[in-house]
Amino acid sequence: MHEMSLMQDVLEIIEDAAREKKFGRVKTVWLEIGALSGVDPQAMSFCFDAVMQGSVASGAILEILHKPGLAWCMKCGKQVEISARFDACELCGSFELQVTGGGGMRVKELEVE
Amino acid sequence: MCTVCGCSDKRDGRYRKVKGGLHFGRGAAGLHVPGMSQSRLVQVERDILSKNDAYAGNNRSMLAERGILALNLVSSPGSGKTTLLTRTIERLKGGVPISVIEGDQETSFDADRIRETGVPAIQINTGKGCHLDARMVGDGIRQLNPQQNSLLLIENVGNLVCPASFDLGEACKVAILSVTEGEDKPLKYPDMFHAASVMLINKIDLLPYLEFDIGKCLDYARRVNPDIHIIRLSAKSGEGLAEWAGWIGHKLAACRIELEPA
């Protein structure tokens, strides 16, 4: 369950932003989670309230933006969408794919006051 | 209707962009009044792993400056990582200085086993944590203070899920899969086999007693990572250890630095 420690990192990023941009309370947190990032968005939601408790983001709403997994197929020379690292190219069935998107996760934006 | 730009009041859980600008009329009143308390949007755009990655970057440059090859060994619990480590150390320690960072939730049993081989080792206990992170490893490296032009072996917590996401500053992740675990592990834990540069198939001396389809295992591993380098070995019988030691030797040569005369 590394989602818990990732959520601690989210909190650190929020606290850094609170110091820099001078806000006292976070109402909404938007996280972007890639389909190939290796985290379970549900587990992230599960940890969110527990980790944010007592912080500037206590009681905030978590909004998760899902980003699709994208890969470049060496055989087709085209970009295709994949949902897991073991997926084949939907056009030609090849596994010679280079992941080009959806591997990351980031704190996008905050609604603050 | 909003009195700022005329957009609909319907809330979709997301702010609405207005022709390249931000909509500030989304407060309780639906409009922006200067001087009145109103929430605002702050763009952050930071990778969640950016803190870990910054520590990993520091570790990587510290290792490169000293010509140290760091390998991050990852596997399920019970794949034979520690036995493989002790055999690897026995084989290589005459030729290159070695140090070891051992990661486990609790106990120092593994570091004790490594120290018995005569090389320095420190144990990092993660407590409730399921993986090593770059900050822990940085502290470990400073405490171990490995020699220049040496080999640093990092045995991660036995777990094929979480350690995949955390860069420690290593040169490569090495995934160990033992034949008693089943050939479908690369598909069950694709993120880890994708992140690894090398897969070691361990305990191959047991193959005659198992229904492990090695061809399928290789195929599955290459599906998630077409470039993965695969070595079959048995830490117990010693088969394949020469190939593994040769691979490490090749990598060591690539990261060696010229030492200044004393």
Side-chain angles (χ1 to χ4, degrees), chain A residues 33-44:
Chain A
I33 308 278
L36 309 175
S37 65
V39 304
D40 177 3
Q42 270 191 320
M44 290 294 269

Side-chain angles (χ1 to χ4, degrees), chain B residues 12-42:
Chain B
D12 57 3
R14 183 93 175 92
Y15 71 88
R16 283 152 288 171
K17 276 215 161 139
V18 187
K19 286 195 176 161
L22 287 176
H23 189 303
F24 289 96
R26 202 194 150 206
L31 75 167
H32 178 70
V33 180
M36 197 173 148
S37 167
Q38 181 82 279
S39 59
R40 63 190 165 109
L41 290 164
V42 173

Side-chain angles (χ1 to χ4, degrees), chain A residues 2 5-6 9 12-13 16 21-23 30 38 85-86 95 105-112, chain B residues 13-15 39-49 51 131 162 165 187 191 194 223-224:
Chain A
H2 59 311
S5 57
L6 291 174
D9 289 343
E12 279 190 38
I13 291 171
D16 286 351
K21 308 268 169 74
K22 306 203 186 325
F23 54 81
W30 280 278
R85 303 238 183 224
F86 53 78
F95 290 103
M105 48 197 154
R106 52 183 19 216
V107 182
K108 282 289 284 182
E109 198 167 42
L110 306 171
E111 183 190 16
V112 302
Chain B
R14 183 93 175 92
Y15 71 88
S39 59
R40 63 190 165 109
L41 290 164
V42 173
Q43 302 277 333
V44 181
E45 296 289 352
R46 274 193 67 189
D47 284 341
I48 296 176
L49 286 166
K51 294 235 167 196
H131 57 271
C162 314
S165 302
L187 294 189
D191 296 312
H194 184 82
R223 278 192 202 181
V224 293

Side-chain angles (χ1 to χ4, degrees), chain B residues 184-256:
Chain B
D184 51 2
K185 273 259 164 92
L187 294 189
K188 286 181 170 169
Y189 302 94
D191 296 312
M192 183 58 87
F193 289 91
H194 184 82
S197 311
V198 185
M199 174 167 84
L200 303 180
I201 304 182
N202 192 19
K203 307 189 188 178
I204 55 164
D205 54 306
L206 295 176
L207 276 174
Y209 313 103
L210 301 166
E211 288 180 7
F212 183 90
D213 186 333
I214 207 153
K216 266 192 185 164
C217 182
L218 303 183
D219 176 46
Y220 292 156
R222 290 194 174 117
R223 278 192 202 181
V224 293
N225 184 351
D227 301 322
I228 199 163
H229 184 78
I230 301 167
I231 300 172
R232 307 168 205 199
L233 50 78
S234 163
K236 188 158 181 259
S237 74
E239 194 181 344
L241 283 183
E243 187 185 350
W244 164 230
W247 182 87
I248 295 175
H250 184 71
K251 288 279 172 190
L252 277 168
C255 68
R256 275 186 79 83

Side-chain angles (χ1 to χ4, degrees), chain B residues 14-89:
Chain B
R14 183 93 175 92
Y15 71 88
R16 283 152 288 171
K17 276 215 161 139
V18 187
K19 286 195 176 161
L22 287 176
H23 189 303
F24 289 96
R26 202 194 150 206
L31 75 167
H32 178 70
V33 180
M36 197 173 148
S37 167
Q38 181 82 279
S39 59
R40 63 190 165 109
L41 290 164
V42 173
Q43 302 277 333
V44 181
E45 296 289 352
R46 274 193 67 189
D47 284 341
I48 296 176
L49 286 166
S50 57
K51 294 235 167 196
N52 182 73
D53 291 348
Y55 282 107
N58 289 342
N59 293 350
R60 188 165 281 119
S61 45
M62 174 165 65
L63 294 165
E65 279 164 22
R66 298 201 215 167
I68 299 166
L69 172 69
L71 300 177
N72 177 4
L73 285 88
V74 290
S75 80
S76 322
S79 66
K81 270 199 306 295
T82 313
T83 305
L84 177 63
L85 268 184
T86 56
R87 295 294 147 83
T88 306
I89 291 164

